[in-house]
Amino acid sequence: MLHNDPIAALTPEVIAWRHHIHCNPELGFKEYETARFIAEKLRAFGFDEVHEGIGGTGVVGVLRSGTGTRAIGLRAELDALPVVERTGLPYASRNEGVMHACGHDGHTAMLLGAASLLSQSRAFDGTVYFVFQPAEENEGGSLRMIEDGLFERFPVEAIYAVHNWPGLEQGTIAARAGAQMAAVDNFKLTFEGFGAHAAMPQLGDDPILAAGAFVQAVQRIVSRSVDPQTALVVSLTQIHGGKVGNIVPGRVWLQGTCRFFEPGHSDHCEKLIGEIAHGIAAAHALKATLDYNKGYPPLINTADATARAIAAAAATVGSENVSTEFSPSLGCEDFAFMIREAGGCYAWIGVGDVGPGEGLHGDRYVFNDEIVPTVLGYYVNLVEQTLPAS
């Protein structure tokens, strides 16, 4: 492994890159300047190949060393969120209404840092593909890259990624074989009928009553239709209907999400949500329309890749600071598509506790730059241990 001196020397520059990306955030599939910045850096590092425009704005850098034929991938995300930043930082977003509120700026900068270190040392035997992915937040940029031939063009035995993790003690790394993040499906449900004056409700229907009944009834999916020891969450996140105080609206729509680890829960939720919605609509003389969209699959770390990630983490922070026994998160992550396709491991990097509004997706979220040396060391260890130089 590289000694700490190169990592310590590079860390301030990586942090500067992170601040630059942070103050110039771009939404999914619109990360044009961010992708250009990455490609320019990779070429400056002397990469063997740099490919742009994969899956939209994705970038892949190719770094070879020795004569080995084995290859692994390392991945980071490019996109920001539609959030108004309220951190008051000197390098706060210059793009009003767009913010790196999840740490993708840090993930990208740290992967660039690992690219710089490994391009200088080349202390490995094989090929490393550095994958910079667009549109992780909701748009499925990971799948778009795969559909654009990512793994046909850059075949790997496994692919790895990290995410900063508020609430996990700083100086620790967590990874587990099997499920680490949940699948997510999203749905929109509309109840439609006839509106009426609030004083004469008998002249119309009432989709607000139907919506209220649905909000309560849909929870029977979790409480009565699956094993109570199975993780499943059905949450209603939006209800919209009506614009005038004395008129019962003719239309109400709701939005919700389902989170789970068992793939079969996707069809199960779609079926029961539809049955509950149409039953309630019939009872209220309304029409129900369900738009159910299957989203990201569960993120399932593969055993061999996870073992390598844990070994690299132990070499970086000490085995006593590596967690492998913990509850997975019902949050979702589109890196799941890449692991499903190629195998791999997703690790959480502890950043310590945070306050209200300072967690992931909060408008006061601040990436913890103190984890930069840890992640640089982790990536270097992972490459050098997985693809050992002869």
Side-chain angles (χ1 to χ4, degrees), residues 10 12 15 25-26 66 145 164 169 174 182 226 262 267 282 295 301 313 319 386:
L10 184 62
I15 292 172
E26 297 172 296
M145 290 191 84
N164 75 101
E169 185 180 354
V226 297
E262 296 290 338
D267 290 342
N301 287 334
S319 58
T386 304

Side-chain angles (χ1 to χ4, degrees), residues 237-255:
T237 57
Q238 295 186 57
I239 301 179
H240 300 266
K243 296 180 179 179
V244 181
N246 64 347
I247 296 176
V248 176
R251 180 177 182 273
V252 171
W253 67 268
L254 309 89
Q255 187 164 318

